[in-house]
Amino acid sequence: MRALLVVNHKATTTSGRTRDVLIHALRSDLKLDVAETQYRGHARDLAREAAQDGSVDLVVALGGDGTVNEVVNGLLTHGPGEKVPRLAVVPGGSTNVFARALGLPNDPVEATGVLLNALDHGRERPIGLGKAMTEGLPDRWFTFTAGYGFDAGVVGRVEAQRNAGRKSTHALYVGQAIRHYFTQREQRRSGPVALELPGHERVPGLVMAIVSNTSPWTFLGNRPVYPSPLASFDTDLDVFGITRMTAFGTARTIRQILRSHTPSADGAPPAGPSGKHVVSYHDVRHFTLVSEEPAPFQVDGDHLGDRSRVSFTGVRRALRVIV
């Protein structure tokens, strides 16, 4: 099988020696070319070129969720199709939500072993993806989440810290979330975001909206976070929102989304967060989020600036993944 390995050499959890070991292992089973990213968006460009010229059957992303997102967007520049190369992932970031949601080990060496075994046995699965459309930006595919409002504002703060030289850690995210909470006093009480869902009444006043393509939404260390526990690569999108962020209500919601993701004793699926300020929809294909004033927007942890309107679509079986 002809393959391209796209390597983010700045990936936080892999050293040069580890990458060399992984490349050697992959070359034992693949006709492998290796390309290191040189700038933001380079992984997308590399994957797009590979998909357009038909030179590879498989693109392997070695890096974090940002690298994976770029590769996916490059592969799907012209949309899904049978000629699109398969995707494989070797986790190398700080959180690796997409890889872990697929059931891969969080260790890059172990994940490479799983990948080689999957190639030997021909294991692959089609997965659904989300697509976000907003004026002024190209359509953007996302693998596990998009956020609008408070959540995306936290991502923007973290990105600013990383650009200033801070290392991406879970403590950094938690710290910036706390800071953002205390600096957004007015918006916590009445959010500017509204949800427009075909066949439903418009839902105004959202402080934040989290769109999930799978579950969990993210991890705090090894602890998964479940705002939309039923979200799946096999369904369309889930939406979770909050209309008011009081201290007590927010603490209650945090406890709910951190609780164990297990069915009840009667076999019913796990319930998501609930409460009078919680909005939740499961398995929806099309919807739009609109803000009275431009609000922060992110996909897969990549902050894309402030936007007034974003439309979302769930696309089933959009990509084939080696697992």
Side-chain angles (χ1 to χ4, degrees):
M1 182 180 286
R2 300 168 301 170
L4 171 67
L5 175 65
V6 177
V7 179
N8 179 359
H9 67 281
K10 294 183 178 179
T12 56
T13 59
T14 56
S15 64
R17 177 175 293 183
T18 300
R19 289 192 291 272
D20 289 342
V21 171
L22 300 181
I23 290 169
H24 180 75
L26 291 170
R27 278 192 168 138
S28 67
D29 277 21
L30 299 167
K31 185 178 180 181
L32 187 71
D33 290 325
V34 180
E36 287 197 0
T37 58
Q38 303 298 323
Y39 54 84
R40 182 170 181 171
H42 194 193
R44 178 197 61 225
D45 295 341
L46 291 167
R48 181 181 65 242
E49 292 168 5
Q52 287 176 341
D53 64 20
S55 61
V56 300
D57 308 298
L58 170 69
V59 175
V60 184
L62 171 53
D65 290 310
T67 303
V68 174
N69 181 274
E70 287 190 14
V71 167
V72 167
N73 276 274
L75 290 174
L76 297 179
T77 299
H78 300 293
E82 288 298 319
K83 294 185 179 180
V84 174
R86 296 166 180 82
L87 170 71
V89 178
V90 177
S94 59
T95 309
N96 307 306
V97 179
F98 178 66
R100 294 162 81 177
L102 286 171
L104 294 172
N106 200 33
D107 178 81
V109 176
E110 293 180 14
T112 300
V114 172
L115 169 58
L116 293 173
N117 184 268
L119 290 169
D120 286 343
H121 292 84
R123 291 198 311 269
E124 64 177 66
R125 64 172 289 191
I127 64 166
L129 296 171
K131 185 164 68 169
M133 297 147 283
T134 183
E135 185 177 353
L137 286 175
D139 293 353
R140 186 70 176 259
W141 296 91
F142 57 95
T143 62
F144 64 95
T145 192
Y148 196 50
F150 183 90
D151 156 60
V154 174
V155 170
R157 294 179 70 109
V158 170
E159 192 165 296
Q161 292 292 311
R162 293 181 65 184
N163 291 337
R166 293 282 301 276
K167 185 178 180 180
S168 178
T169 64
H170 297 106
L172 177 61
Y173 275 89
V174 172
Q176 292 305 312
I178 293 171
R179 288 175 179 269
H180 197 55
Y181 178 84
F182 284 107
T183 58
Q184 300 294 311
R185 186 178 303 274
E186 292 303 319
Q187 289 194 0
R188 295 202 319 257
R189 296 172 180 169
S190 179
V193 177
L195 170 63
E196 298 177 352
L197 183 64
H200 297 267
E201 290 188 6
R202 190 173 189 264
V203 182
L206 296 176
V207 177
M208 72 171 181
I210 294 173
V211 181
S212 292
N213 183 55
T214 189
S215 192
W217 166 53
T218 190
F219 292 84
L220 289 176
N222 289 321
R223 189 163 190 171
V225 183
Y226 295 105
S228 299
L230 298 181
S232 165
F233 289 126
D234 299 319
T235 62
D236 288 318
L237 303 173
D238 282 32
V239 189
F240 166 81
I242 297 177
T243 57
R244 190 175 182 184
M245 295 181 70
T246 63
F248 176 79
T250 302
R252 180 177 183 270
T253 302
I254 290 173
R255 288 196 301 271
Q256 290 178 331
I257 67 177
L258 288 173
R259 66 190 176 192
S260 179
H261 180 59
T262 55
S264 63
D266 60 2
S274 60
K276 65 179 181 179
H277 297 304
V278 170
V279 175
S280 181
Y281 292 92
H282 170 59
D283 194 13
V284 291
R285 180 153 302 181
H286 304 290
F287 59 93
T288 299
L289 294 171
V290 183
S291 181
E292 300 168 3
E293 55 193 50
F297 170 51
Q298 65 90 11
V299 297
D300 285 350
D302 186 8
H303 188 259
L304 299 181
D306 293 352
R307 300 290 155 179
S308 297
R309 182 182 185 91
V310 186
S311 295
F312 296 88
T313 298
V315 181
R316 299 195 184 194
R317 304 178 69 88
L319 195 63
R320 293 171 296 167
V321 181
I322 303 296
V323 289

